[in-house]
Amino acid sequence: MNRPRVRLDLPRAPRRSLLPEYDPEAFGRLSERVARFLGTGRFIVWMTLVIILWVLWNVFAPDNLRFDEYPFIFLTLMLSLQASYAAPLILLAQNRQDDRDRVTHEQDRKQNERSIADTEYLTREIAALRMGLGEVATRDWIRSEFQDLIKEMDERRLFPTERDEGDR
């Protein structure tokens, strides 16, 4: 019993399948469009009009033109069929939306982490600047020192005042 060696470095040849092939993204987009339409007032209005016309036709039309007699079994079947297709399509659309929301939340979380890191960095930089500025002479400090020197010189009379010049 020698089985042929399977090469793991080569992809397998595609198998033939009896199931039909479809594009899951295209089907998902279609389901979202259907679910979006089913959630509108337009759909409810159209569905109500169809049901009213269906009932009126099958009650007031001549007997040979009626296609669904009073218990409206066929109408019930059509509504059940519509509901049986609408529910999975809506669930599929919700799952796709949940996936998009999950990706968006993950991106938002990462952005928040980066923002927090940036804020912490800037806070440290501002603290370092404040500490550095504590040792730097500011304009107001220099001005106050000059004013103190002028007062001290006036008190020692190093600069003659106007009264002193008038006496000479």
Side-chain angles (χ1 to χ4, degrees):
M1 287 205 158
N2 288 337
R3 288 185 358 186
R5 282 185 76 175
V6 176
R7 293 199 49 181
L8 298 177
D9 61 338
L10 297 175
R12 288 184 179 175
R15 292 182 177 177
R16 299 185 89 199
S17 174
L18 298 176
L19 299 175
E21 293 185 24
Y22 68 96
D23 180 16
E25 283 300 311
F27 188 72
R29 286 190 300 271
L30 173 69
S31 68
E32 287 176 343
R33 286 200 321 249
V34 169
R36 207 172 292 124
F37 174 69
L38 290 177
T40 63
R42 180 184 297 170
F43 170 76
I44 293 172
V45 168
W46 280 108
M47 190 64 147
T48 303
L49 288 174
V50 167
I51 291 171
I52 290 171
L53 289 174
W54 186 298
V55 170
L56 290 176
W57 179 265
N58 287 296
V59 168
F60 296 115
D63 287 339
N64 59 345
L65 295 178
R66 293 181 190 171
F67 55 89
D68 193 14
E69 292 296 325
Y70 164 64
F72 305 119
I73 305 284
F74 190 52
L75 175 63
T76 305
L77 176 67
M78 289 295 108
L79 291 175
S80 298
L81 182 66
Q82 182 266 331
S84 68
Y85 275 99
L89 289 175
I90 291 170
L91 289 174
L92 179 62
Q94 285 177 341
N95 288 340
R96 286 174 54 91
Q97 185 62 45
D98 287 343
D99 292 341
R100 281 193 297 272
D101 289 345
R102 190 175 306 112
V103 169
T104 301
H105 290 315
E106 182 65 23
Q107 290 172 346
D108 288 346
R109 188 185 63 76
K110 288 179 181 177
Q111 180 63 37
N112 287 341
E113 287 176 357
R114 286 191 298 268
S115 296
I116 288 171
D118 290 345
T119 303
E120 289 173 352
Y121 171 76
L122 291 173
T123 302
R124 287 191 299 272
E125 289 296 314
I126 289 172
L129 287 172
R130 283 186 178 168
M131 288 172 49
L133 282 177
E135 300 169 5
V136 174
T138 63
R139 180 178 53 189
D140 292 336
W141 182 80
I142 292 172
R143 187 175 290 145
S144 68
E145 289 296 313
F146 279 142
Q147 288 173 350
D148 289 343
L149 279 174
I150 291 171
K151 283 181 188 176
E152 185 178 331
M153 293 169 86
D154 279 345
E155 289 172 2
R156 293 184 183 182
R157 301 232 180 231
L158 292 177
F159 291 119
T161 60
E162 293 177 15
R163 283 180 285 147
D164 294 339
E165 288 180 10
D167 293 339
R168 287 189 187 175

